[in-house]
Amino acid sequence: MEHYHMNLTLKVWKQKNSNDAGKLETYQVKDISSEMSFLEMFDVLNEQLITNGKDPIAFDHDCREGICGMCSMHINGRAHGPWDKNTTCQLHMRAFKDGDTIVVEPWRSKAFPVIKDLMVDRSAFDRIIQAGGYISVNTGNAVDANAIPIDKKDADDAFMAASCIGCGACVATCKNSSAMLFVSAKVSQLALLPQGAPEKESRVLNMVAQMDKEGFGNCTNTYACEAECPKGISVANIARMNREYLKASLTTED
Amino acid sequence: MGLTGLFLISFLIVHVGVNACIFVNDQGEAYNTAAHFMSHNWVLRIVEIGLFAGLLVHILQGLLLWKQNSGARPINYKVNAANENSRWYSRSMGLLGTLLLFFLIIHISKFFIDTKIALYSGDQPHNLFEEMKEEFSKWWVVVIYLIGVISLFWHLLHGFQSAFQTFGINHKKYTPIIKSIGIFYCVVVCLLFALMPIAFYLKWLE
């Protein structure tokens, strides 16, 4: 792959704290390598800002290998930038050309308040997972691996759902800021397996109730979430959650 | 939304079926007979109440969705490349629905109310075919109807398959079939609806 350098104009959201109105600030970065990751480009910019005695841009990041779900930038109008099934940390500067202007904004949702600059508070997701509660497992000796037979397809589907990293791109990209893709992945990964079966009903009811409480919008099936999800979580999970929810509402007493 | 939507979708099949009777081209005899049956059958009178209730609930659900969803993102993006991840008509259901509502108000005040007056005053037989012929000789009426049908097409194109997803039906084998039926339904129903004012305006039916 051709290696090149580029000069870029960045328009980045700057916001002191959750009460500040915030605005887009323009920055220039020079001599950026096409082999850098998008976050490395931000590191270069922040070094530059710190050297000049300015406030660096706050952004979330952790593993930088696309599995932790911490990075969260809305780049040129798309969650995690222009590449499909990709996180911001795995977006490389070869996606851009010399002279490009790149607009970077934080995730936008009432349920994800901005903490500072590009960092948002995604603890609403943690509270939804907590609302799902525990699964009952036997303690004592480890059970034989194949003691409970599980259909290969169910195991695969559960694993696919479990690959959700909880980054919030689904909420960020949905026109309604709906968290249905995230919640449905978390519901599905347990609903598909016998280990998750005993608490199936209460789990889906409680998680959906918490989701509504957090102020996320409703799903109107535009499927933008699936298109932007870095892990390719399918909207079939949303349909499964709708089924589980309907079943649970009809069959439980409360 | 899905349940009321599918109910309204099933109604449109009946509606377009009756309308298609004009293409028999017998000076509206088949059409007037069908329309007369639809407006004079007491079972259908009761179903009609259900239809208006369904429509009302669909509108109220839409308004509630709009209110809740517009509040879920208080600050919008400065740049949003939404076309990269979703279809414009899927994102514009509220707008298309509003256009349809305006159309329905015009449509009902033109044909439905006249039919009802004729039904309950009961003295002279009501010739809906002749009335349509007269209405659709005006170009601006034809334009309003075509805008209505085009809005309906995009609204249904999202709505049909979306209803099944809402009910939890998303299946590797059946979803592509549902989507194909949805597209077929939209094209046939909307084409038949659109052909009616066009046929009258261009005097294909005499």
Side-chain angles (χ1 to χ4, degrees):
Chain A
M1 206 166 288
E2 191 209 353
H3 178 215
Y4 57 98
H5 286 80
M6 65 195 99
N7 298 331
L8 300 164
T9 304
L10 296 171
K11 291 187 173 178
V12 184
W13 189 259
K14 281 294 282 178
Q15 184 174 337
K16 274 200 199 94
N17 52 51
S18 51
N19 300 319
D20 183 31
K23 64 174 193 310
L24 283 177
E25 291 270 6
T26 308
Y27 302 93
Q28 304 291 337
V29 281
K30 288 194 168 64
D31 218 24
I32 296 296
S33 160
S34 61
E35 290 178 357
M36 276 182 188
S37 78
F38 199 79
L39 296 186
E40 282 169 334
M41 185 269 292
F42 260 79
D43 293 337
V44 170
L45 172 62
N46 274 346
E47 292 278 346
Q48 196 179 299
L49 289 170
I50 293 165
T51 309
N52 295 334
K54 285 184 187 146
D55 188 30
I57 298 156
F59 63 91
D60 271 322
H61 62 103
D62 192 8
C63 75
R64 298 208 179 193
E65 54 185 9
I67 55 169
C68 77
M70 271 316 279
C71 52
S72 62
M73 295 175 184
H74 207 255
I75 303 159
N76 279 349
R78 291 184 70 184
H80 292 299
W83 287 352
D84 286 342
K85 292 201 179 72
N86 193 69
T87 54
T88 297
C89 64
Q90 291 297 296
L91 175 67
H92 282 70
M93 294 313 293
R94 58 178 176 271
F96 302 95
K97 320 187 287 295
D98 187 35
D100 275 0
T101 299
I102 307 171
V103 180
V104 188
E105 295 173 85
W107 283 174
R108 294 290 188 200
S109 168
K110 195 172 96 184
F112 288 168
V114 173
I115 302 167
K116 187 175 194 293
D117 303 339
L118 301 171
M119 290 173 93
V120 295
D121 179 359
R122 283 170 282 181
S123 57
F125 273 10
D126 301 335
R127 290 189 291 274
I128 293 171
I129 291 180
Q130 283 160 12
Y134 300 98
I135 60 164
S136 37
V137 285
N138 293 323
T139 53
N141 284 344
V143 193
D144 181 68
N146 294 317
I148 310 168
I150 300 170
D151 192 304
K152 173 76 166 72
K153 193 185 175 299
D154 289 340
D156 286 351
D157 286 349
F159 189 79
M160 276 301 291
S163 64
C164 164
I165 54 176
C167 65
C170 45
V171 173
T173 205
C174 173
K175 77 181 252 289
N176 310 321
S177 284
S178 170
M180 288 283 274
L181 194 68
F182 166 79
V183 181
S184 70
K186 299 301 168 196
V187 163
S188 290
Q189 67 184 25
L190 295 172
L192 282 160
L193 299 176
Q195 289 89 338
E199 300 85 7
K200 222 173 157 174
E201 283 94 9
S202 62
R203 185 183 306 116
V204 67
L205 294 175
N206 293 338
M207 287 179 92
V208 169
Q210 187 65 35
M211 171 181 82
D212 290 340
K213 215 168 112 188
E214 297 290 347
F216 293 105
N218 305 294
C219 178
T220 55
N221 302 334
T222 67
Y223 310 139
C225 52
E226 182 185 70
E228 294 294 10
C229 174
K231 296 294 150 184
I233 305 290
S234 163
V235 293
N237 289 302
I238 297 181
R240 183 180 297 108
M241 182 167 78
N242 290 346
R243 286 201 297 277
E244 295 291 334
Y245 187 84
L246 193 66
K247 245 188 290 177
S249 320
L250 292 174
T251 54
T252 54
E253 287 183 330
D254 39 40
Chain B
M1 208 84 233
L3 198 65
T4 48
L6 274 192
F7 174 58
L8 296 171
I9 279 173
S10 65
F11 156 73
L12 285 182
I13 298 177
V14 180
H15 190 339
V16 86
V18 172
N19 280 11
C21 292
I22 62 162
F23 298 111
V24 177
N25 213 355
D26 55 357
Q27 276 93 41
E29 206 185 309
Y31 174 77
N32 278 339
T33 312
H36 186 267
F37 170 75
M38 293 305 288
S39 56
H40 287 74
N41 186 306
W42 66 269
V43 178
L44 294 173
R45 294 274 63 72
I46 295 165
V47 175
E48 194 174 74
I49 297 167
L51 173 66
F52 276 97
L55 182 65
L56 194 70
V57 173
H58 194 71
I59 293 167
L60 292 176
Q61 284 172 322
L63 286 173
L64 188 68
L65 272 182
W66 173 73
K67 190 181 166 281
Q68 288 179 346
N69 291 343
S70 52
R73 176 166 297 144
I75 303 163
N76 258 317
Y77 293 107
K78 304 270 180 209
V79 180
N80 195 354
N83 282 329
E84 300 285 335
N85 54 44
S86 51
R87 304 296 180 100
W88 72 269
Y89 54 86
S90 291
R91 300 192 307 269
S92 314
M93 289 300 274
L95 174 75
L96 291 167
T98 310
L99 283 174
L100 277 172
L101 182 62
F102 285 133
F103 168 76
L104 274 179
I105 293 168
I106 297 169
H107 175 57
I108 287 173
S109 62
K110 260 197 165 23
F111 290 114
F112 182 78
I113 291 175
D114 275 4
T115 314
K116 291 292 116 158
I117 291 168
L119 174 66
Y120 292 112
S121 61
D123 26 55
Q124 65 210 39
H126 180 60
N127 194 336
L128 200 54
F129 185 83
E130 286 304 318
E131 198 185 322
M132 285 208 298
K133 210 179 201 174
E134 192 196 312
E135 278 301 328
F136 292 134
S137 63
K138 302 168 196 152
W139 67 267
W140 55 272
V141 176
V142 176
V143 169
I144 288 174
Y145 268 72
L146 289 183
I147 292 171
V149 172
I150 290 165
S151 308
L152 180 69
F153 176 78
W154 296 113
H155 197 77
L156 290 174
L157 202 57
H158 172 82
F160 193 97
Q161 55 81 27
S162 175
F164 290 90
Q165 167 81 1
T166 302
F167 300 151
I169 301 165
N170 187 318
H171 193 275
K172 225 175 172 172
K173 221 163 29 186
Y174 302 125
T175 296
I177 300 172
I178 291 169
K179 286 190 175 171
S180 307
I181 294 173
I183 294 167
F184 177 78
Y185 171 90
C186 291
V187 172
V188 171
V189 168
C190 294
L191 209 62
L192 281 172
F193 273 137
L195 272 175
M196 205 180 30
I198 292 174
F200 278 115
Y201 187 72
L202 298 177
K203 300 197 182 348
W204 292 348
L205 306 163
E206 281 309 323

